[in-house]
């Protein structure tokens, strides 16, 4: 079986800048939520219908920040 060559295209300065801005924003967002976690209500709206009414809530422990934001935030360190 023949393998295809792997071509690595270096990121442009614009792409690197956009990545840095994006991951910085995500890091600041994570930091903000972490610092404000104790002041969040126990139940947080998780879904709204078309009328803007809350149709589902979740506990603040169910925000699942660790799985989603840790991946995106720490991926930055391995990317750069």
């Amino acid at each position: 079986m023949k393998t295809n060559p792997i071509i690595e295209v270096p990121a442009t300065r614009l792409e690197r800048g956009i990545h840095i801005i994006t991951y910085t924003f995500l890091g600041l967002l994570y930091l903000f939520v972490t610092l404000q976690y104790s002041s969040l209500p126990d139940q947080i709206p998780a879904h709204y219908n078309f009328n803007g009414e809350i149709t589902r809530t979740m506990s603040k422990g169910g925000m699942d920040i660790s799985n989603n934001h840790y991946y995106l935030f720490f991926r930055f360190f391995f990317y750069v």
Side-chain angles (χ1 to χ4, degrees):
M1 178 181 219
K2 185 177 178 182
T3 60
N4 294 328
I6 297 173
I7 301 172
E8 293 188 23
V9 179
T12 64
R13 289 179 67 196
L14 176 64
E15 291 170 332
R16 285 192 302 262
I18 290 172
H19 288 166
I20 289 170
I21 291 169
T22 301
Y23 290 124
T24 300
F25 176 74
L26 286 174
L28 291 173
L29 179 64
Y30 175 75
L31 181 65
F32 176 76
V33 172
T34 302
L35 294 174
Q36 297 297 320
Y37 187 79
S38 62
S39 65
L40 291 174
D42 290 334
Q43 292 293 315
I44 299 172
H47 189 267
Y48 296 88
N49 63 13
F50 287 111
N51 296 327
E53 300 165 344
I54 300 170
T55 57
R56 186 175 48 136
T57 61
M58 65 179 176
S59 68
K60 71 178 178 181
M63 288 191 298
D64 208 21
I65 291 173
S66 60
N67 292 337
N68 298 326
H69 289 93
Y70 272 134
Y71 170 75
L72 294 173
F73 184 72
F74 287 109
R75 183 174 180 263
F76 168 76
F77 292 109
F78 293 108
Y79 180 77
V80 172

